Amino acid sequence: MPTSANHSNSIDWRLAKKLAKRVSGHEPFLDSYHYRQLGPEMADLTAQAEELVAAETGLISKAGPARAQVTNREGWIDANLASFQRLLRPVIEKMTEKGSASWLAPVTQKVSGTEVGTMLGWMSTRVLGQYDLLIIEDDRPEDQDMVYYVGPNVMAIEHKYDFDPRQFRLWLALHETTHRAQFTGISWLRPYFLGLIDEALDFSEPNLEHFKQVAKDALESRRRGEDLWADGGLPALLATPEQKAILEKIGGMMSLLEGHGDVTMDRAGAELIPEATHFSKVLRERRKSAKGLARLLQQLIGLEAKLNQYTAGEDFIAAVEATGGPALVNRAWESSNHLPTMTEIRNPEQWINRMNTLANIETTPVATA
């Protein structure tokens, strides 16, 4: 049985890091004096955005002021590799205890490292900002609860589309600080989300029969002309029935959070960012413009499904507000039982009816003898 020294070897992390940095390519504007000014500016804009988000949503972070960090693609890759390693560690320990890690031969480790490296390298060329909540170790508090901005990408997109830098950067900061307000202002949300991730990973032990069934189902779906990647790419396709039930919850929650993030960034910055509608339109078109290998990567890793969450979440919020205003939307923040599933995101009336039923139960007086 492999020892604990092999815990990190289910994925060749060194290969993943090397390949990711190769795929990330040339980073524009790193040598520009404008880039050197970006860090202090994003720190100020993040603080401003946090105040605007609090005023718009009523969500106040219980973790103190947000911390902004401007990084390059290499730094973003390093941060996400660290998150992946820490997130997957319990799974690898579980597999090692059961002797399952021996199933992961060196070839598999190389393949996994190649997949992770290619994915992160390509994503590092696209991502603009990220609120990182997955680093969960107590011994590195300096790495936790960080709002990242990938500086070269931000400046490149401003240059390409002739965006007003000050407006665009505040607009980005509003989205990321909204996510931070969600996860640090709603006390139960972060542990609930991480609990769902842990629960999904608990079912990640390799099973050859399951893979055979997945291949069979995929062939049948293809014959019927169905989109294999529509529900979340390869991760969703390979998920066990237990994992799919969890992904249904995660998908609904993330659609709500992304939709809420987009709605908030537009409303909170309405007076300060007159070009917000233009930014939104350009980025939506950019998300849909991927072709060839880039489009295939988006589909395989589930990014295309995630991008669809933005629109689905916004449509859900619009439908709910049309019925009960922002107060009805805010019921989702009261309890994990109030979060919509993915099915309810696509059918808002189901969630509205469920909330009405719960409200009636809560207000019905209890008969006494």
Side-chain angles (χ1 to χ4, degrees), residues 143 156 216 285 318 353:
D143 288 342
K216 181 180 177 182
E285 291 174 351
N353 291 337

Side-chain angles (χ1 to χ4, degrees), residues 47-61 170 173-175 177-179 181-182 186 259-273 317 321 325-330 333:
Q48 181 183 6
E50 191 167 39
E51 293 180 1
L52 292 169
V53 167
E56 174 64 31
T57 66
L59 296 176
I60 309 296
S61 172
L170 176 59
L174 284 167
H175 188 87
T177 54
T178 298
H179 285 325
Q182 292 162 346
I186 302 168
H260 183 251
D262 274 2
V263 168
T264 299
M265 71 194 292
D266 287 338
R267 292 177 180 174
E271 296 182 2
L272 298 172
I273 313 174
I317 290 175
E321 287 189 343
L328 183 54
V329 174
N330 288 341
W333 313 132

Side-chain angles (χ1 to χ4, degrees), residues 57 59 182-183 185-190 192-193 249 252-260 313 316-317 320-321 324-341 344-345 348 351-352 354-356 358-359 362:
T57 66
L59 296 176
Q182 292 162 346
F183 282 105
I186 302 168
S187 59
W188 54 266
L189 187 60
R190 183 176 184 272
Y192 174 73
F193 174 61
K249 295 180 181 179
M253 186 188 82
M254 294 309 297
S255 287
L256 174 67
L257 298 184
E258 294 294 359
H260 183 251
F316 172 83
I317 290 175
V320 171
E321 287 189 343
L328 183 54
V329 174
N330 288 341
R331 292 214 61 196
W333 313 132
E334 295 174 1
S335 162
S336 60
N337 292 328
H338 289 192
L339 289 173
T341 64
E344 289 174 327
I345 287 286
W351 184 82
I352 294 169
R354 183 160 68 87
M355 291 301 100
N356 288 337
L358 287 173
E362 291 164 1

Side-chain angles (χ1 to χ4, degrees), residues 9-13 15-16 19 104-119 234:
N9 291 339
S10 64
I11 296 175
D12 189 330
W13 296 107
L15 173 63
L19 184 57
L104 293 163
V107 171
T108 306
Q109 297 167 19
K110 296 291 184 185
V111 170
S112 299
T114 300
E115 291 172 345
V116 171
T118 301
M119 176 191 71
L234 195 59

Side-chain angles (χ1 to χ4, degrees), residues 4-175:
S4 59
N6 293 323
H7 284 182
S8 62
N9 291 339
S10 64
I11 296 175
D12 189 330
W13 296 107
R14 185 176 299 178
L15 173 63
K17 182 174 182 177
K18 180 179 179 180
L19 184 57
K21 292 180 180 180
R22 184 181 303 167
V23 172
S24 68
H26 170 70
E27 301 199 48
F29 300 103
L30 276 181
D31 297 327
S32 166
Y33 75 93
H34 292 293
Y35 181 79
R36 293 191 290 273
Q37 297 172 345
L38 191 57
E41 181 178 3
M42 290 312 303
D44 291 341
L45 290 174
T46 298
Q48 181 183 6
E50 191 167 39
E51 293 180 1
L52 292 169
V53 167
E56 174 64 31
T57 66
L59 296 176
I60 309 296
S61 172
K62 298 177 175 64
R67 293 182 299 147
Q69 180 171 322
V70 173
T71 185
N72 57 17
R73 293 173 184 172
E74 182 174 336
W76 182 87
I77 288 168
D78 287 341
N80 280 269
L81 280 172
S83 289
F84 280 5
Q85 286 177 281
R86 292 166 185 173
L87 189 66
L88 293 174
R89 186 173 299 161
V91 178
I92 295 169
E93 290 176 350
K94 172 188 171 185
M95 291 167 61
T96 302
E97 290 170 2
K98 292 186 175 182
S100 302
S102 59
W103 183 84
L104 293 163
V107 171
T108 306
Q109 297 167 19
K110 296 291 184 185
V111 170
S112 299
T114 300
E115 291 172 345
V116 171
T118 301
M119 176 191 71
L120 286 180
W122 178 75
M123 288 184 67
S124 75
T125 68
R126 305 280 293 181
V127 69
L128 300 172
Q130 174 183 333
Y131 171 60
D132 188 358
L133 60 87
L134 288 179
I135 296 179
I136 53 178
E137 291 196 348
D138 294 334
D139 60 342
R140 293 188 61 84
E142 68 275 13
D143 288 342
Q144 300 189 43
D145 188 32
M146 190 72 68
V147 180
Y148 289 102
Y149 303 97
V150 185
N153 295 350
V154 172
M155 297 182 70
I157 203 168
E158 290 169 353
H159 179 75
K160 180 176 182 179
Y161 295 107
D162 197 25
F163 286 167
D164 179 279
R166 186 78 180 179
Q167 288 189 48
F168 183 63
R169 293 167 190 179
L170 176 59
W171 191 70
L172 286 179
L174 284 167
H175 188 87

Side-chain angles (χ1 to χ4, degrees), residues 238-259:
L238 296 176
T240 65
E242 296 88 352
Q243 287 174 320
K244 286 181 179 179
I246 299 167
L247 290 176
E248 170 81 2
K249 295 180 181 179
I250 294 175
M253 186 188 82
M254 294 309 297
S255 287
L256 174 67
L257 298 184
E258 294 294 359

